[in-house]
Amino acid sequence: SASSVSDPYHRKALLEYTILWTWEELTLDKLDFEKEKEAEEQEQTEQTAGNSESLNFANGSKLLWPVEGTLLMNYSMDKTVYFSTLDQFKYNPALVISGEKGDQVISSAPGIVKSIDKTAETGTTVNVDIGSGYELFYGQLDDVRVKTGDYVDSKTVLGYVGEPTIYYSVEGANVYFEMRKDGESVNPMDYLVE
């Protein structure tokens, strides 16, 4: 040790060597930690990418109904439909399906949770990427059970029917169910099982 060396010159050299050696070990430990972290992030990216590649929703694929209920408002982008709560006619890029508060809302197809957002119109909304440019949006949810990046199978519980937003208060508790292909809304009825 540096304290057992009596010559001040050698003691200083030994102390500098000890500090340098300790610094190098700390640097190596930090590099090892950073390499391990990069490897974990790469593995996570590969897992997500692997799932994304296996998502192959196609034109002939079918969707499950996300909730048991009746159709309150149909998809309509070619003509306007009447929104009772708003007391106006407007285009509707989604299905509005009735549900009882607390009913399970399931994933209609396998996918990866892309985002979970809260908007004034659709409340808490889960966006699931189902592959091939298709995405599903489940709005008016409560007690969401998934997080961004999660892989979900068909029938995975995403959350529960919540209170309707002020945009749908007359319609009552419901699920806002929108489908998009390459960012453009498409009619989910063309894909839902009978």
Side-chain angles (χ1 to χ4, degrees), residues 1-115:
S1 84
S3 60
S4 64
V5 176
S6 57
D7 178 8
Y9 174 77
H10 285 101
R11 186 179 321 160
K12 181 180 176 198
L14 185 56
L15 185 58
E16 287 174 354
Y17 173 77
T18 304
I19 290 170
L20 182 62
W21 178 77
T22 305
W23 176 254
E24 285 178 357
E25 274 215 349
L26 288 172
T27 303
L28 288 174
D29 285 347
K30 182 180 177 191
L31 288 174
D32 288 344
F33 173 77
E34 288 172 352
K35 284 180 184 175
E36 286 175 15
K37 188 175 177 184
E38 280 179 22
E40 286 174 9
E41 288 172 355
Q42 180 66 27
E43 184 178 325
Q44 180 65 34
T45 300
E46 287 170 2
Q47 287 174 354
T48 303
N51 286 339
S52 184
E53 288 169 13
S54 66
L55 299 175
N56 55 2
F57 193 86
N59 208 18
S61 298
K62 290 295 181 189
L63 298 172
L64 300 176
W65 285 80
V67 67
E68 287 186 34
T70 57
L71 192 60
L72 296 173
M73 296 177 71
N74 209 337
Y75 171 91
S76 183
M77 291 302 286
D78 54 346
K79 62 182 180 177
T80 59
V81 293
Y82 184 68
F83 280 69
S84 299
T85 301
L86 302 176
D87 191 27
Q88 65 178 279
F89 286 87
K90 62 183 236 171
Y91 294 104
N92 186 27
L95 301 179
V96 178
I97 307 164
S98 71
E100 294 293 320
K101 186 172 169 10
D103 284 354
Q104 288 185 342
V105 179
I106 62 166
S107 180
S108 297
I112 295 174
V113 178
K114 190 172 176 181
S115 66

Side-chain angles (χ1 to χ4, degrees), residues 24 52 70 93-94 115-116 122 133 138 150-151 161 165 168 175 178:
E24 285 178 357
S52 184
T70 57
S115 66
I116 301 168
T122 62
Y138 306 82
D150 282 358
Y151 175 83
V161 176
T165 65
Y168 295 96
V175 174
E178 183 178 352

Side-chain angles (χ1 to χ4, degrees), residues 112-117 126-129 135 147-150:
I112 295 174
V113 178
K114 190 172 176 181
S115 66
I116 301 168
D117 301 299
V126 175
N127 173 2
V128 177
D129 177 355
E135 296 175 85
K147 61 186 182 308
T148 301
D150 282 358

